[in-house]
Amino acid sequence: GQQLNQSPQSMFIQEGEDVSMNCTSSSIFNTWLWYKQDPGEGPVLLIALYKAGELTSNGRLTAQFGITRKDSFLNISASIPSDVGIYFCAGPFWGGSEKLVFGKGTKLTVNP
Amino acid sequence: DAGITQSPRHKVTETGTPVTLRCHQTENHRYMYWYRQDPGHGLRLIHYSYGVKDTDKGEVSDGYSVSRSKTEDFLLTLESATSSQTSVYFCAISGGTGTKNIQYFGAGTRLSVL
């Protein structure tokens, strides 16, 4: 079945550093979604990507839809303590389903 | 939280007892989902609904049932809770105008089965 591989699984960085994480699949995706989950809360959508090659920003966050349609990247610039959390990528199951498949997440820790 | 309320937020129960979790939405979205989240497994789909009285199984549906009698409510029932069902449960909705594939999540229910 469709699977999303997220890496790295966890990151420990200093405040002010830039962060990069990615999501890959053996299947083609038509949509890539990036979510963030704060401790004790539900995931919240950060960025939605709908076109191969698309580059979209949301404040200090930038995400890209890979040209091959099998990967996506999320970058965070100048990290701050409130960036702590788990970042998930997600994409719809093949065939236009509303169901999503999720990566297992990248856990980010920011040291002040 | 996109107008999604999960109740209860926390529950402790004993093995073998029935448990029902409720998800209520005020967005009139067509699709509703129940996920469980466990360390090392990410979010796994339990059941979903594509309309009133229309539901289907997800990847980890054993031991769970759902019902949707109204657009706004989606109930998840554990008929006889087991310790392996200790988890955090999230409800999500989708299908809003102009929100292709985007799911919005509730705040979660933390369930402990002793």
Side-chain angles (χ1 to χ4, degrees), chain A residues 31-49:
Chain A
T31 298
W32 287 95
L33 305 173
W34 284 94
Y35 287 86
K36 183 195 177 197
Q37 184 178 25
D38 289 330
E41 301 292 330
V44 173
L45 181 73
L46 296 173
I47 293 176
L49 302 162

Side-chain angles (χ1 to χ4, degrees), chain B residues 21-35:
Chain B
L21 308 183
R22 180 181 184 236
C23 179
H24 178 77
Q25 60 142 332
T26 58
E27 306 296 321
N28 201 35
H29 281 20
R30 176 182 175 188
Y31 301 92
M32 298 186 75
Y33 311 81
W34 277 107
Y35 292 89

Side-chain angles (χ1 to χ4, degrees), chain A residues 30-31 33 35 37 40-45 48 50 86 88 92-93 96-100 102-104, chain B residues 1 9 31 33 35 37 40-43 45 48 57 90 94-95 99-107:
Chain A
N30 293 319
T31 298
L33 305 173
Y35 287 86
Q37 184 178 25
E41 301 292 330
V44 173
L45 181 73
Y50 295 110
I86 304 176
F88 293 99
F93 278 89
S97 170
E98 282 286 322
K99 292 190 297 180
L100 296 177
F102 286 83
K104 293 186 178 180
Chain B
D1 292 336
R9 291 294 315 277
Y31 301 92
Y33 311 81
Y35 292 89
Q37 185 176 34
H41 290 280
L43 288 159
L45 183 65
Y48 67 102
K57 296 179 180 179
F90 288 99
S94 73
T99 61
K100 185 183 171 197
N101 295 127
I102 295 173
Q103 292 185 13
Y104 300 93
F105 286 81

